[in-house]
Amino acid sequence: MKKTALLTGLAFASLSACAQTDPYITAAYSGMKFQVPGSPVIVGSIGANHDILLIKYSDTVGKRYISFGTENTLETGGCGWSDFFEATLSEKEAHSCDQASVESFKSVFFQGADAGIWKAADRAYYYFLPDQGSSFVFFQSNNGNLIKLESDFLDSDGFRRMLGDM
């Protein structure tokens, strides 16, 4: 009887330990939750006007990071965020956004990048993923802010996993 109880207890303890080995952790930003890779080296936040959450996976400065930032001051050329991102992704010259703003954004984020829109759960995610350097995903949060995700190591699948789309 004692052996059965002990084995049962060990089995439940083993199952509990195995269930907690998920390689992802939950990060909260701007009232939303994201699944980011586990085991970060450091997590930091700059509040107030900057409103940035930084998760680092390396001791090397500027390497292996994920950054969450609020970008409400992005110059959209007089149109809403969704219209602006649609204009940056479109081949068409005719749109309601200021052409100089669209071209300026394209020169920074779009050149040489795989770019497009992921749609999931009534939300549009505008992604700009170059072969080298930092990748970016922009979207509107639940509270109406424009959020910019940035990483120098996440690929399309990594961003989508983080956003809960996989």
Side-chain angles (χ1 to χ4, degrees):
M1 178 71 172
K2 287 183 182 180
K3 287 183 182 180
T4 305
L6 180 60
L7 287 174
T8 304
L10 286 174
F12 281 119
S14 296
L15 288 174
S16 297
C18 289
Q20 307 223 358
T21 60
D22 188 0
Y24 294 90
I25 59 175
T26 301
Y29 181 79
S30 192
M32 301 175 75
K33 293 182 180 179
F34 304 90
Q35 295 299 306
V36 298
S39 304
V41 173
I42 190 166
V43 176
S45 177
I46 303 172
N49 295 336
H50 302 290
D51 200 18
I52 296 171
L53 173 64
L54 180 66
I55 304 171
K56 287 271 294 149
Y57 295 89
S58 167
D59 289 328
T60 305
V61 175
K63 298 290 182 192
R64 296 198 51 84
Y65 66 90
I66 299 172
S67 172
F68 298 80
T70 302
E71 291 291 324
N72 289 337
T73 59
L74 179 69
E75 179 54 52
T76 62
C79 39
W81 291 319
S82 61
D83 291 337
F84 176 74
F85 287 113
E86 295 283 342
T88 63
L89 296 170
S90 174
E91 298 288 328
K92 300 176 186 173
E93 294 290 324
H95 49 74
S96 61
C97 304
D98 176 62
Q99 188 64 28
S101 297
V102 171
E103 291 304 320
S104 176
F105 183 89
K106 281 182 172 184
S107 71
V108 174
F109 294 99
F110 192 75
Q111 298 298 327
D114 176 25
I117 304 169
W118 297 317
K119 294 193 177 183
D122 299 328
R123 189 180 316 276
Y125 300 96
Y126 303 95
Y127 63 89
F128 303 89
L129 312 172
D131 290 333
Q132 296 180 6
S134 295
S135 295
F136 302 89
V137 177
F138 294 86
F139 65 94
Q140 191 168 348
S141 70
N142 294 340
N143 60 9
N145 289 319
L146 180 64
I147 304 299
K148 177 179 80 175
L149 302 181
E150 179 180 351
S151 177
D152 68 336
F153 74 94
L154 288 178
D155 60 6
S156 174
D157 290 341
F159 274 112
R160 292 179 72 134
R161 168 73 162 97
M162 185 172 72
L163 296 166
D165 190 32
M166 299 190 92

